């Protein structure tokens, strides 16, 4: 998840200018005439997208047309059990994401429900993630490591992932373009693991489930239910269907002592325009 929720359960309860050099011999007037008469080819404009997959392809093309982008991130997560104060945290960050080469620089702050604030710095360079929480040392690892992946918020990579299951998205018109949305509910955690659209939700909820189990919650994967899930992309038609926002939210219900522990997360990334800089690792992270 964006930040691991600290959950306590008591016993009672991410292109040659100039002129051409003359040829050795002059071309005949017939040849010149033929060349002049030959019609020039003009490329046809791409047909407007219709399906969710086509809209995603255009969105990816729009993002790839620039050297980089800046995004503003906001997120929250919580674990709530009836009769206890919720354990929650919020996250705010700015992300610079370059496209060639692909790299991420993410600077943010985690704020817990107790008012504690902790800076978090994340980099992704050459496929390796680097994370620094507060005063702790840098940790590094491949993006295949869930412990690293859960700290990285990369809207461009998320759009690439969305392309794999975009066919299940609904398409609706908005005042400025198009909205693509995938939603789900009712899946048991054990079945959700095999659903491409739910892959991130499962990965993000695991750290909280691990904490709950350490605290005495014994619910098996088959007993944990996805109450709700939604992923929404807002695309700007005037700018080639460039993504302007991405929202991701889910809620799981974890049975415990006759009731449920409600584990939720919501994350939103809003585009703040083109980023023309570069991303370089700080010396301490290497």
């Amino acid at each position: 998840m964006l930040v691991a929720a600290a959950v306590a359960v008591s016993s009672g309860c991410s292109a040659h200018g100039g002129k051409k050099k003359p040829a050795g011999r002059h071309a005949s007037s017939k040849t010149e005439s033929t060349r002049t008469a030959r019609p020039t080819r003009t490329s046809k404009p791409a047909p407007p997208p219709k399906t969710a997959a086509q809209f995603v392809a255009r969105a990816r093309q729009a993002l790839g047309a620039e050297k980089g982008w800046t995004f503003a991130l906001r997120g929250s997560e919580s674990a709530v059990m009836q009769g206890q104060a919720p354990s929650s945290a919020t996250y705010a960050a700015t992300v610079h994401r370059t496209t060639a080469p692909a790299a991420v620089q993410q600077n943010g702050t985690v704020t817990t429900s107790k008012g504690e604030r902790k800076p978090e710095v994340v980099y992704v360079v050459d496929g390796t993630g680097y994370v620094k929480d507060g005063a702790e040392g840098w940790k590094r690892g491949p993006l295949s490591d869930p412990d690293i992946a859960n700290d990285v918020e990369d809207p461009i990579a998320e759009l690439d992932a969305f392309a794999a299951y975009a066919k299940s998205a609904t398409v609706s018109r908005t005042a400025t373009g198009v909205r693509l949305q995938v939603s789900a509910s009712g899946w048991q955690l054990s079945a959700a693991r095999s659903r491409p659209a739910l892959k991130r939700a499962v990965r993000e909820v695991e750290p909280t489930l691990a904490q709950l189990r350490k605290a005495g919650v014994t619910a098996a994967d088959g007993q944990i239910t996805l109450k709700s899930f939604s992923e929404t992309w807002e695309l700007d038609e005037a700018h080639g269907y460039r993504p302007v926002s991405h929202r991701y939210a889910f809620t799981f219900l974890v049975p415990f002592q006759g009731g449920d522990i409600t584990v939720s997360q919501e994350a939103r990334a809003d585009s703040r325009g083109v980023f023309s800089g570069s991303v370089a690792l700080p010396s301490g992270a290497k």
Side-chain angles (χ1 to χ4, degrees), residues 134-149:
E136 298 178 11
W138 288 91
K139 64 179 180 180
R140 59 177 290 176
L143 296 181
S144 57
D145 180 349
D147 190 39
I148 296 294

Side-chain angles (χ1 to χ4, degrees), residues 229-242:
F229 163 82
S230 66
E231 181 173 8
T232 307
W233 290 89
E234 301 280 350
L235 310 181
D236 183 0
E237 184 175 8
H239 293 87
Y241 297 99
R242 184 181 73 199

Side-chain angles (χ1 to χ4, degrees), residues 186-234:
W187 290 89
Q188 295 178 334
L189 179 60
S190 53
R193 294 184 185 280
S194 64
R195 309 300 300 177
L198 303 178
K199 181 178 179 180
R200 176 182 170 183
V202 171
R203 188 196 74 219
E204 298 261 14
V205 78
E206 288 288 11
T208 297
L209 295 179
Q211 291 182 22
L212 290 174
R213 285 168 175 146
K214 287 182 180 179
V217 176
T218 59
D221 286 0
Q223 297 173 297
I224 299 172
T225 305
L226 177 68
K227 180 181 179 182
S228 62
F229 163 82
S230 66
E231 181 173 8
T232 307
W233 290 89
E234 301 280 350

Side-chain angles (χ1 to χ4, degrees), residues 6-265:
V7 182
V9 180
S10 66
S11 59
C13 36
S14 138
H16 184 64
K19 296 181 179 179
K20 234 179 175 181
K21 288 184 179 180
R25 63 180 65 178
H26 294 289
S28 70
S29 58
K30 180 179 179 180
T31 302
E32 288 298 323
S33 175
T34 301
R35 288 176 180 171
T36 303
R38 184 178 299 162
T40 57
R41 293 182 180 181
T42 57
S43 58
K44 294 182 180 179
K50 295 181 180 180
T51 67
Q54 290 170 344
F55 281 114
V56 170
R58 292 286 288 274
R60 295 173 73 185
Q61 183 179 10
L63 290 178
E66 297 291 346
K67 178 181 178 180
W69 299 91
T70 296
F71 299 92
L73 302 179
R74 291 176 290 153
S76 63
E77 60 181 42
S78 64
V80 182
M81 185 166 58
Q82 187 174 1
Q84 286 194 11
S87 175
S88 62
T90 59
Y91 182 65
T94 296
V95 170
H96 298 307
R97 185 9 169 119
T98 58
T99 57
V104 175
Q105 179 183 343
Q106 178 180 323
N107 296 80
T109 303
V110 178
T111 305
T112 70
S113 53
K114 296 180 180 180
E116 299 169 341
R117 293 168 60 86
K118 181 174 66 173
E120 181 183 75
V121 182
V122 178
Y123 283 84
V124 176
V125 176
D126 295 332
T128 298
Y130 303 79
V131 180
K132 181 175 176 57
D133 292 316
E136 298 178 11
W138 288 91
K139 64 179 180 180
R140 59 177 290 176
L143 296 181
S144 57
D145 180 349
D147 190 39
I148 296 294
N150 286 344
D151 287 321
V152 177
E153 296 295 326
D154 182 353
I156 294 182
E158 287 160 8
L159 182 62
D160 290 343
F162 186 75
Y165 51 90
K167 63 181 180 182
S168 61
T170 59
V171 180
S172 58
R173 285 284 173 179
T174 65
T176 58
V178 169
R179 177 180 296 118
L180 307 179
Q181 186 172 69
V182 171
S183 58
S185 63
W187 290 89
Q188 295 178 334
L189 179 60
S190 53
R193 294 184 185 280
S194 64
R195 309 300 300 177
L198 303 178
K199 181 178 179 180
R200 176 182 170 183
V202 171
R203 188 196 74 219
E204 298 261 14
V205 78
E206 288 288 11
T208 297
L209 295 179
Q211 291 182 22
L212 290 174
R213 285 168 175 146
K214 287 182 180 179
V217 176
T218 59
D221 286 0
Q223 297 173 297
I224 299 172
T225 305
L226 177 68
K227 180 181 179 182
S228 62
F229 163 82
S230 66
E231 181 173 8
T232 307
W233 290 89
E234 301 280 350
L235 310 181
D236 183 0
E237 184 175 8
H239 293 87
Y241 297 99
R242 184 181 73 199
V244 292
S245 74
H246 175 223
R247 180 180 175 275
Y248 190 92
F250 64 78
T251 296
F252 281 95
L253 300 178
V254 184
F256 183 68
Q257 294 188 348
D260 289 315
I261 298 173
T262 304
V263 180
S264 302
Q265 181 191 129

